[in-house]
Amino acid sequence: MRLSDATSAQLPADIARPAYDRTAVRRGVVHLGIGAFHRAHQAAIFEAALAAGDLRWGITAVSLRSAGVRDQLAPQDGLYTLLVRDGAGERAQIMGAVGQVLVAPEDPAAVVAALAHPDTHLVTLTITEKGYKLDRAKGTLLADDADVAHDVAGLAAPRTAPGFLVAGLAARRAAGLPPFTVLSCDNLPHNGALLRAAVLEMARAHDADLAEWIAEQGAFPASMVDRIVPATTPDDIAALATRLGVEDQAMVKTEPFLQWVVEDRFCGPRPDFAALGVQLTADVAPWEDAKLRLLNGAHSSIAYLGGLMGDAFVHQFVAREEGRAFVERLWDQAAATLNPPPGLDIPAYRTALMARFANPALQHRTRQIAMDGSQKLPQRLLAPLAAGGGDALALGVAAWIRWQSGQTDTGETFAVDDPLADRLAVAARSDDPVTATLALLGVEVEPAIRDAIAAHLTNLERSGADGAIRTLLKGT
């Protein structure tokens, strides 16, 4: 029995399910990057809009790479279970906002058509930092990327997110339709401005008038998103099947906390975001910095230090006195570099973060967080370190460099999951691994910071992550 067949009668009474008419829903959202995070975060907001009676905000979801999520959702008519877990238990809800999943490499024209549809008002993205195809040092598209070169040469069958956006916007302009609002939901500082620059660069490569039209009439608000969404495991699917009486291959699990801060800059219709719990603001940057440097910076440090020690999950790291003390020290140093916006209570935020980290029901894997470190470290750890942060931040960076060896402190080997993995491994084995590794990121640091990272790296190699943390804390 499929999940879609079970929603009418067979599901347990305590399972929430769509009460609106799914056949009446219009797809006002196209989402690029239909992974677990979107299904647990933005899709939950659009689901709430539909449940409140505004049926304009169904989702056409797009995978820019593989067909995996489409193949999970299609047999279930787009339905999936959102499982919210905390220490007190779990709550399950069947989500109906996703109406269709397209796989871009299979049918790029269908993606462009969805972007150009008159019902589309909002395009959201969770494509990870590497999906933007940006030269981080220059803020421009990657000149040597094969997919970027393909889209610069022609947009008959785009391959990149900027390429699809430009093709969709060009089709709208040709049809006499206004542009859509493009809303990045990835952990990139100034994500709206970066995405706008990438789209305008791609547009100018094809049509200067189109680029001017996008610049004048389009909108690329910045946003900050926050919700911990661990990877789903076969055990999760089996446990939910026992509860539901039907298997859901597309289920996602998450925590109760959800935050979405959006710059109030749109060029067309939008949901009543404020009524749905989304915070609209004139300036996302201070919220973004706080989240990147406190939550994400701590997460990355935990991933590499905990991973080296053999911690499979975040809650195991903070369950130890030394682990929790390290995180608090890192937060002290990162918080000193922030300019908190009105309404953000940093001490209360830290308390809430620690409770989230300590939630054993989430089973948030350190190796999931450790992925794509080269794309994440500049904004999570190196930016606050350059802004005056201290030794805990430097140890987090050193642990990331140590991670490139592909071996834990106990000798277990693993594959480093990073787009620069091969080059990072060579740099980490060089005579000056700190300078060589940071050079791959296009990052230069002051000599004192470089030396501090190098000293921690030496200690990690000699004493392991546990010993390096203890040495750090003794120096308090």
Side-chain angles (χ1 to χ4, degrees):
M1 181 170 59
R2 299 181 306 173
L3 180 63
S4 54
D5 297 327
T7 55
S8 58
Q10 291 95 338
L11 290 177
D14 65 331
I15 306 298
R17 64 208 78 183
Y20 52 86
D21 181 1
R22 290 188 81 211
T23 65
V25 171
R26 286 177 287 164
R27 296 177 195 154
V29 181
V30 173
H31 181 79
L32 306 183
I34 178 61
F37 184 81
H38 169 71
R39 284 177 280 153
H41 190 280
Q42 301 94 49
I45 298 295
F46 297 125
E47 181 76 21
L50 299 175
D54 189 348
L55 300 184
R56 296 175 296 167
W57 303 109
I59 301 167
T60 297
V62 178
S63 172
L64 293 175
R65 294 181 295 179
S66 72
V69 176
R70 190 274 313 276
D71 294 345
Q72 293 171 347
L73 282 170
Q76 303 178 176
D77 295 338
L79 297 168
Y80 64 94
T81 308
L82 179 64
L83 195 64
V84 179
R85 289 179 170 176
D86 61 21
E90 63 182 30
R91 174 176 56 83
Q93 178 181 0
I94 307 302
M95 310 290 283
V98 177
Q100 182 183 22
V101 181
L102 303 174
V103 180
E106 292 181 0
D107 193 352
V111 178
V112 175
L115 292 166
H117 196 282
D119 284 347
T120 298
H121 304 300
L122 187 61
V123 177
T124 53
L125 299 89
T126 51
I127 56 176
T128 75
E129 294 90 339
K130 62 186 175 184
Y132 290 81
K133 303 292 186 177
L134 288 169
D135 183 321
R136 299 294 288 276
K138 299 178 181 178
T140 57
L141 291 170
L142 290 168
D144 59 351
D145 184 271
D147 290 337
V148 170
H150 172 276
D151 286 359
V152 167
L155 290 173
R159 295 179 183 174
T160 68
F164 275 109
L165 291 170
V166 171
L169 287 163
R172 293 180 76 88
R173 181 169 176 256
L177 294 171
F180 41 66
T181 297
V182 187
L183 184 55
S184 170
C185 302
D186 284 296
N187 284 323
L188 280 170
H190 315 294
N191 50 17
L194 283 172
L195 182 54
R196 181 179 186 272
V199 168
L200 291 178
E201 182 182 346
M202 182 67 72
R204 281 192 293 269
H206 297 280
D207 184 339
D209 290 339
L210 172 64
E212 183 177 355
W213 179 77
I214 296 170
E216 291 181 352
Q217 299 192 34
F220 296 80
S223 83
M224 185 276 281
V225 295
D226 188 3
R227 196 172 212 187
I228 295 173
V229 184
T232 299
T233 68
D235 288 344
D236 294 325
I237 294 172
L240 183 64
T242 299
R243 180 176 176 186
L244 298 184
V246 60
E247 187 172 271
D248 179 4
Q249 287 288 334
M251 67 158 287
V252 290
K253 61 182 182 180
T254 190
E255 61 175 338
F257 183 90
L258 185 154
Q259 186 179 35
W260 195 2
V261 181
V262 178
E263 181 184 10
D264 195 0
R265 182 191 300 271
F266 294 81
C267 62
R270 68 184 187 202
D272 187 356
F273 275 136
L276 299 169
V278 177
Q279 183 163 356
L280 297 172
T281 180
D283 187 7
V284 171
W287 296 90
E288 183 179 71
D289 288 344
K291 189 251 184 173
L292 286 168
R293 297 183 184 187
L294 297 178
L295 185 150
N296 297 125
H299 255 170
S300 288
S301 298
I302 290 170
Y304 300 120
L305 289 165
L308 289 169
M309 287 191 288
D311 288 343
F313 303 107
V314 170
H315 71 267
Q316 293 173 328
F317 185 89
V318 298
R320 290 193 298 273
E321 181 180 353
E322 294 82 2
R324 186 174 289 247
F326 167 79
V327 172
E328 294 288 359
R329 181 161 175 152
L330 183 145
W331 282 343
D332 287 341
Q333 296 171 3
T337 72
L338 297 174
N339 181 24
L344 179 57
D345 182 335
I346 294 294
Y349 184 58
R350 288 173 54 166
T351 299
L353 282 180
M354 188 61 78
R356 295 166 66 192
F357 289 179
N359 181 358
L362 276 181
Q363 300 284 289
H364 199 186
R365 293 187 176 274
T366 52
R367 290 196 184 176
Q368 179 188 356
I369 301 167
M371 294 169 57
D372 300 337
S374 65
Q375 311 298 299
K376 300 172 180 176
L377 264 288
Q379 57 267 29
R380 295 185 177 195
L381 293 174
L382 289 166
L385 191 54
D391 51 6
L393 292 161
L395 177 55
V397 176
W400 168 67
I401 297 173
R402 175 65 174 158
W403 185 256
Q404 308 314 311
S405 70
Q407 187 175 68
T408 70
D409 293 342
T410 60
E412 177 191 357
T413 59
F414 58 87
V416 175
D417 193 337
D418 192 287
L420 301 181
D422 292 343
R423 296 165 66 188
L424 287 167
V426 172
R429 293 193 299 268
S430 69
D431 292 338
D432 186 353
V434 175
T435 300
T437 303
L438 295 184
L440 290 175
L441 308 187
V443 173
E444 294 183 7
V445 298
E446 295 180 1
I449 294 176
R450 182 197 61 218
D451 293 345
I453 297 171
H456 286 303
L457 182 59
T458 298
N459 203 17
L460 284 165
E461 293 167 345
R462 181 177 60 242
S463 305
D466 182 64
I469 293 171
R470 292 176 184 275
T471 297
L472 176 86
L473 295 175
K474 286 179 182 176
T476 300

